[in-house]
Amino acid sequence: MWDDAFPSFLIGLREGLEAGLVVSILVATLVRADARSRLPQVWTGVLAAITLAMSFGAVLTFTAASLSATAQEAFGGTLSVIAVAFVTAMVFWMRRSARSLSGEIKEKVTGALAMGSGVLILTSFLAVGREGLETALFLWTTAQAAGESSGPLTGAAIGLILSAALCWGLYRRVLRINLTKFFTATGAVLIVIAAGVLGYGLRDLQEGGVLPGKAAYAVDLSGSVDAGSWYSTLVQGVFNLTPVMTWLQVFGYGGYLAVVMTLFVRGLRATAPKPASGRAAPAPDAPTPARGRPAWVVPVAVVTVPALLAGLAVAFGRPKPAAAQTVAVSEKDCGEGFTAPSPGRQTFQMHNTGDKPAEVYLIDPATNAVYGEIEGLAPGTTRALVATVAQGAYAWRCVPSGGTAVTSKALRVTGGGAPKAVVPVSEHDLSGPLAQYRTYVDEGLAALVAQTRRLADDISHDHLGKARTDWLTAHRTYAALGAAYGTFEDFDQKIDGRADGLPDGVHDKDSTGFHRIEYGLWHGEPATSLTAPAQRLAADAAGLRKAFPHQDFDPSDLPLRAHEVLENTLQFELTGDTDEGSGTNLATADANLAGTRELLTVLRPLLTSRAPHLLPTVDADVARLQKLLNSAHHGSHWTPVGQLDATARARVNGVTGQLLEDLSPVPDLLEIRKST
């Protein structure tokens, strides 16, 4: 947690020490001026500033939480850039003002004593409030960058407590600190940290669509640096440097660091301003407070008002959810009870009044684009459909089981920006990609038949060394066809099934296919015991090729397979679960990746029109995984999964997991939705 806590610790220490010095100088000046009765006014201003800062942090958190994911990225990126500007200004201000701070504040206090309690409260409030707002903004930004709040909050708390202890020691004169050197050293470190925050903010703005270049990577060290290692986590947490960075991030980070650090170092050579003269003048007689007002009124007011304003911002800023509409669904009528909704996130209670299950879609009637859907709404039941409504036309389409689609009248919504909808996909849309993929599989099966026959010949002639090479070639060919989750019907179990569950395991009479032969070839079995399994494998491959043109291939399986093939890879190959001695799981994973790449190729036109930003991200993931797999391939030898060191294995698993996550929207984007 310290890697995420350190930047907040440093900002808490610096800002806390700045504010603490101001307060301690205020208190010391009043004490020396024999005006102790005015101390409550100082603490009132301090409490008001603290309350304002905490309220500001609450409003930031609420505002971000109420935005969409893309808007959150843009909002967080904007605030990150603003936080960097504030921190930069603070660093330069304190570098110039450290030596003369005491004298300046004493002069302000002297003037405030002559002008009443309100001015003294305002003086302490303004002195502490700026640091409080800067701390809240920077702390919120670092929490966003860390992806969690416990580390940054802990670091900031430790820094503030330590700064309070230092200020107390300075006030009591039990400590001596060269404040100029302290603020110079911490200022240099904060500039480096701020550069990382700027880089993080620019990346957020790219993710939010505000800035271009989201997939233009300048640095990609994912193949050689484990993002989960302690050193990588430390660098990411403290400096916001990640193994993968875009060109904009690199230029922003490097440019800020070069310019600001240069100006900061040059400024150190400037002549320090002369400290202001010493003792404050004695305080004039303080005006007598009004008798009719209790002493607690002002402190309570200045503390509660910021909190109240923050609460009102949260209460009235949150979009009030409209009462959920109940919309009727049946085979004869669709959308009864539907009225034009307000923009924003809306909940519709869909009630099936008919006697057949139905599919229900909230659509754009002009384009048939889908905003929300419910599948299999049973008769007499009610289910909630949640959709984000924006400017545009809306209608309900109800498709009863075995019946004809019914579409409601269209209603128009104004305001709320542009709506986001999924353009529907039909079986016809997928027929072209499916035909291309079937051609790819058919060509692969032709090669597989020839390769398994060659493997059977090797074994029958007792050429077991050659058989091992030909086994891997044939197995990679099969793996690249995208067999996953029952593909190829019963042939998949015969050709590439595992021995799990068989009474005698791999030695069972029903153990067949590649893994049975793999076990024998790499465990010293004689050719005579492998001849029959090899011939059966060749026969099953030929049988699959013959049966494949006639197998039922649901078009909707094609988008699913883009995710399922690598899901199987992560579950079986990268765990070594299917290794029967060859140690070639990574070779199989490489073939699985080739199959996934082919699936993405045939689906690319459909995905490009529906999610143009998805494919560049997926392509980058594929390239990173391919690079890692290539690093495990040395000539004809593949490093076994079990022999990878912990760092390399974590990298492969992590990149594969990220690719799976980025592929997860594909099935939803290309789901076939009923229209008749």
Side-chain angles (χ1 to χ4, degrees):
M1 186 175 66
W2 180 243
D3 50 291
D4 292 329
F6 179 73
S8 297
F9 164 77
L10 187 60
I11 198 72
L13 179 62
R14 265 193 66 107
E15 296 280 11
L17 192 55
E18 286 184 29
L21 285 172
V22 170
V23 173
S24 62
I25 294 170
L26 284 170
V27 171
T29 304
L30 290 174
V31 170
R32 292 173 186 173
D34 197 21
R36 290 177 180 269
S37 61
R38 309 292 290 274
L39 289 178
Q41 298 165 13
V42 173
W43 297 120
T44 297
V46 171
L47 288 174
I50 293 173
T51 306
L52 177 65
M54 296 179 68
S55 301
F56 179 56
V59 170
L60 288 179
T61 303
F62 156 74
T63 304
S66 64
L67 298 174
S68 65
T70 302
Q72 284 185 31
E73 300 284 2
F75 181 71
T78 301
L79 289 184
S80 294
V81 174
I82 294 173
V84 169
F86 280 164
V87 169
T88 305
M90 175 265 291
V91 166
F92 280 89
W93 176 79
M94 184 50 74
R95 187 204 65 194
R96 294 191 304 268
S97 306
R99 293 188 179 184
S100 59
L101 185 64
S102 178
E104 291 177 3
I105 293 176
K106 289 176 183 178
E107 291 177 2
K108 290 181 180 179
V109 172
T110 301
L113 287 173
M115 297 177 68
S117 61
V119 177
L120 190 57
I121 292 173
L122 182 63
T123 300
S124 59
F125 173 79
L126 293 177
V128 178
R130 188 187 71 170
E131 276 73 23
L133 292 175
E134 288 177 354
T135 302
L137 179 57
F138 195 86
L139 182 59
W140 185 88
T141 303
T142 53
Q144 291 295 109
E148 55 94 19
S149 58
S150 60
L153 286 175
T154 301
I158 295 173
L160 290 170
I161 292 171
L162 180 57
S163 66
L166 291 174
C167 288
W168 181 87
L170 290 169
Y171 174 75
R172 303 295 297 181
R173 298 186 179 182
V174 297
L175 286 177
R176 284 186 173 274
I177 299 176
N178 187 321
L179 293 178
T180 301
K181 290 184 177 180
F182 172 82
F183 285 118
T184 298
T186 55
V189 177
L190 268 181
I191 289 172
V192 177
I193 292 176
V197 173
L198 177 62
Y200 171 82
L202 292 175
R203 180 59 177 170
D204 267 0
L205 291 173
Q206 289 178 309
E207 294 286 350
V210 177
L211 295 176
K214 175 182 175 181
Y217 297 111
V219 178
D220 186 353
L221 303 178
S222 58
S224 55
V225 175
D226 178 16
S229 63
W230 67 267
Y231 55 85
S232 181
T233 303
L234 183 65
V235 172
Q236 291 180 66
V238 176
F239 303 111
N240 272 303
L241 290 173
T242 58
V244 181
M245 296 182 70
T246 64
W247 283 105
L248 183 60
Q249 283 181 281
V250 171
F251 283 131
Y253 183 96
Y256 172 88
L257 195 60
V259 173
V260 176
M261 189 65 79
T262 300
L263 293 174
F264 183 77
V265 172
R266 284 181 179 176
L268 296 178
R269 301 178 185 142
T271 303
K274 295 181 180 180
S277 58
R279 239 180 133 75
D285 293 336
T288 304
R291 293 288 182 185
R293 185 179 63 196
W296 54 267
V297 170
V298 173
V300 170
V302 297
V303 170
T304 56
V305 167
L308 181 61
L309 291 176
L312 291 174
V314 171
F316 291 99
R318 184 185 300 274
K320 295 183 179 179
Q325 296 185 30
T326 299
V327 182
V329 175
S330 74
E331 60 269 27
K332 294 182 180 179
D333 191 16
C334 181
E336 183 179 350
F338 179 48
T339 58
S342 301
R345 194 167 179 82
Q346 301 293 338
T347 299
F348 303 93
Q349 296 295 337
M350 310 307 299
H351 179 60
N352 190 344
T353 59
D355 56 9
K356 295 181 180 179
E359 312 290 318
V360 185
Y361 305 104
L362 180 61
I363 65 168
D364 179 345
T367 64
N368 291 322
V370 177
Y371 299 107
E373 62 185 307
I374 292 179
E375 298 181 354
L377 181 62
T381 61
T382 301
R383 283 164 57 188
L385 186 152
V386 180
T388 300
V389 175
Q391 182 170 300
Y394 294 84
W396 292 103
R397 177 163 294 162
C398 308
V399 188
S401 178
T404 303
V406 181
T407 304
S408 73
K409 66 177 181 179
L411 296 178
R412 178 161 290 279
V413 174
T414 58
K420 291 186 178 181
V422 176
V423 180
V425 173
S426 65
E427 289 192 16
H428 176 73
D429 294 328
L430 283 171
S431 60
L434 180 57
Q436 295 177 53
Y437 189 67
R438 290 184 74 101
T439 299
Y440 165 77
V441 172
D442 190 61
E443 292 173 352
L445 288 175
L448 179 67
V449 169
Q451 292 164 359
T452 52
R453 286 175 179 168
R454 188 179 306 118
L455 172 62
D457 287 343
D458 293 339
I459 292 175
S460 65
H461 291 88
D462 202 16
H463 299 154
L464 299 188
K466 188 173 184 298
R468 294 186 186 94
T469 301
D470 289 338
W471 175 91
L472 180 57
T473 300
H475 192 236
R476 281 170 52 81
T477 297
Y478 183 77
L481 300 182
Y485 291 90
T487 305
F488 306 142
E489 299 178 351
D490 293 338
F491 282 100
D492 183 50
Q493 178 61 32
K494 296 176 183 178
I495 293 173
D496 204 36
R498 293 172 297 136
D500 297 359
L502 296 177
D504 296 325
V506 74
H507 299 291
D508 195 272
K509 60 183 179 59
D510 292 326
S511 177
T512 63
F514 280 111
H515 293 302
R516 169 66 185 95
I517 298 171
E518 176 189 9
Y519 182 88
L521 287 174
W522 273 272
H523 284 83
E525 288 190 18
T528 53
S529 68
L530 296 176
T531 299
Q535 291 175 348
R536 183 173 176 180
L537 173 62
D540 288 336
L544 173 58
R545 187 191 180 196
K546 182 178 179 180
F548 177 69
H550 310 289
Q551 287 183 340
D552 183 23
F553 202 106
D554 190 338
S556 62
D557 286 345
L558 202 60
L560 285 171
R561 194 157 302 168
H563 186 272
E564 290 174 343
V565 173
L566 283 178
E567 195 172 69
N568 266 11
T569 303
L570 188 62
Q571 181 179 1
F572 299 118
E573 306 304 336
L574 299 186
T575 60
D577 186 65
T578 55
D579 185 15
E580 294 292 353
S582 68
T584 57
N585 284 118
L586 293 181
T588 306
D590 181 71
N592 291 156
L593 185 61
T596 301
R597 191 182 287 110
E598 180 65 27
L599 284 161
L600 292 173
T601 298
V602 301
L603 295 173
R604 186 170 292 270
L606 294 176
L607 290 172
T608 299
S609 62
R610 287 163 175 80
H613 301 297
L614 174 65
L615 284 173
T617 301
V618 169
D619 289 342
D621 292 340
V622 169
R624 286 196 289 271
L625 181 55
Q626 187 66 68
K627 185 177 180 180
L628 290 174
L629 293 174
N630 289 344
S631 67
H633 186 200
H634 312 284
S636 60
H637 174 72
W638 288 82
T639 303
V641 170
Q643 293 182 17
L644 291 175
D645 61 66
T647 300
R649 191 164 183 173
R651 281 201 297 267
V652 174
N653 288 333
V655 173
T656 305
Q658 183 62 55
L659 176 54
L660 275 169
E661 182 177 339
D662 291 334
L663 284 172
S664 60
V666 172
D668 288 335
L669 288 169
L670 302 185
E671 179 183 356
I672 296 176
R673 291 171 169 85
K674 296 179 181 179
S675 59
T676 57

